[in-house]
Amino acid sequence: SPLLQLQDVGYTYGNGQRAVSGVTLNLAPGILGLLGPNGAGKSTLMRMLATLAKPTSGAILWNGEDIARHPDPLRRTLGYLPQDFGAYPSLTAREFLRYMGAVKSLPQTGLGRRVDDCLELVGLQDAANRQIGSYSGGMRQRVGIAQALLNDPALLIVDEPTVGLDPEERLRFRNLLTDLAGRRLVILSTHIVPDIEASATTLAVMVKGRLCFNGMPEALLHMA
Ligand code: ADP
Ligand code: ADP
């Protein structure tokens, strides 16, 4: 069965605001680009996938198990870069990642090595001992990815990661996500079409909480 299944997933906020309606998707490893304008429900959907909000209707299955009832298998293997991710500017990247390893209750043994491996994966090895406050926006986003990779996640969720990046960093970031896919499922939310063209293997488009397209990016974006 697919790694991740969304079965008629809906979410209504406490104030009655309906943010997600009837989303059904079956996902295998690769990069799912989740495209849609502001307010389409992308962040709400990603918070549900990150087990930070429970669907108010329908179900999300990870390896065939409902995550509302059994969140732990997914949580153990989840990497999440939220839209409003903030790192501590006075810490170095290495210090921050060690701290995040403790927050995520990762084993202390081998953590230093894992931190260095993750910093290398995102190309920050040479800046590892500099304070994050001195980093560019793109470097800060790469710190965000590095912390999401600490537990070697099978599901990596990144919410609008290229907002505010310059074109060079944006390109670098897309290439990084492509490198990270492979055996992982990466879910990338964006309202920037070129982000999708460059990296997504599957495309889902949301408008007003509903899925209005799901398929090959080429089928929608008229790519060569
Ligand atoms: P995005 O940048 O994803 O479009 P929004 O502007 O929709 O984000 O929302 C930013 C934050 O403000 C959300 O994470 C949510 O917590 C809060 N928010 C947005 N819309 C409402 C609303 N109608 N009522 C209460 N809180 C809201
Ligand atoms: P996107 O990430 O695509 O911008 P969101 O998931 O942030 O979309 O928002 C989807 C809808 O839910 C919007 O109408 C937004 O205003 C509303 N919303 C988001 N957060 C909240 C919240 N905390 N309370 C009420 N409504 C919210």
Side-chain angles (χ1 to χ4, degrees):
S1 68
L3 194 56
L4 183 65
Q5 291 169 273
L6 286 78
Q7 299 179 333
D8 202 19
V9 171
Y11 193 88
T12 303
Y13 282 98
N15 65 354
Q17 174 70 46
R18 191 156 181 75
V20 175
S21 301
V23 171
T24 293
L25 276 172
N26 290 319
L27 299 169
I31 302 183
L32 171 74
L34 186 58
L35 186 68
N38 279 326
K42 304 182 299 295
S43 295
T44 304
L45 188 67
M46 294 184 121
R47 286 203 296 270
M48 287 191 274
L49 294 172
T51 75
L52 301 173
K54 276 188 192 177
T56 54
S57 58
I60 299 173
L61 276 57
W62 174 252
N63 280 317
E65 274 202 312
D66 187 338
I67 66 168
R69 270 175 287 170
H70 304 282
D72 289 343
L74 175 57
R75 279 181 186 157
R76 271 195 294 272
T77 191
L78 175 75
Y80 180 44
L81 177 56
Q83 199 179 340
D84 50 8
F85 178 76
Y88 294 84
S90 64
L91 296 184
T92 69
R94 185 175 273 131
E95 288 166 345
F96 176 67
L97 258 66
R98 288 202 75 112
Y99 163 77
M100 289 305 289
V103 168
K104 292 168 196 265
S105 305
L106 299 182
Q108 281 295 307
T109 315
L111 182 58
R113 169 118 184 258
R114 183 76 201 135
V115 163
D116 288 343
D117 287 349
C118 290
L119 288 170
E120 196 172 334
L121 272 171
V122 302
L124 285 175
Q125 64 279 10
D126 294 336
N129 293 322
R130 270 171 52 199
Q131 287 185 325
I132 293 168
S134 74
Y135 281 13
S136 69
M139 291 169 81
R140 257 176 252 154
Q141 283 298 70
R142 285 188 273 139
V143 173
I145 291 288
Q147 64 80 30
L149 291 173
L150 280 170
N151 58 339
D152 194 16
L155 175 61
L156 177 63
I157 298 177
V158 285
D159 195 351
E160 300 265 8
T162 65
V163 169
L165 302 191
D166 64 39
E168 194 183 325
E169 272 287 10
R170 188 167 272 166
L171 183 66
R172 181 170 189 153
F173 201 86
R174 286 175 196 149
N175 290 337
L176 171 62
L177 290 183
T178 303
D179 290 345
L180 293 175
R183 68 204 161 78
R184 292 192 170 89
L185 172 58
V186 178
I187 301 185
L188 160 70
S189 112
T190 185
H191 57 264
I192 300 166
V193 171
D195 284 351
I196 303 280
E197 290 175 323
S199 46
T201 47
T202 313
L203 171 63
V205 182
M206 283 182 85
V207 176
K208 294 183 179 169
R210 292 191 174 277
L211 209 57
C212 63
F213 176 87
N214 170 31
M216 305 276 288
E218 293 83 353
L220 191 73
L221 300 174
H222 308 290
M223 289 155 56

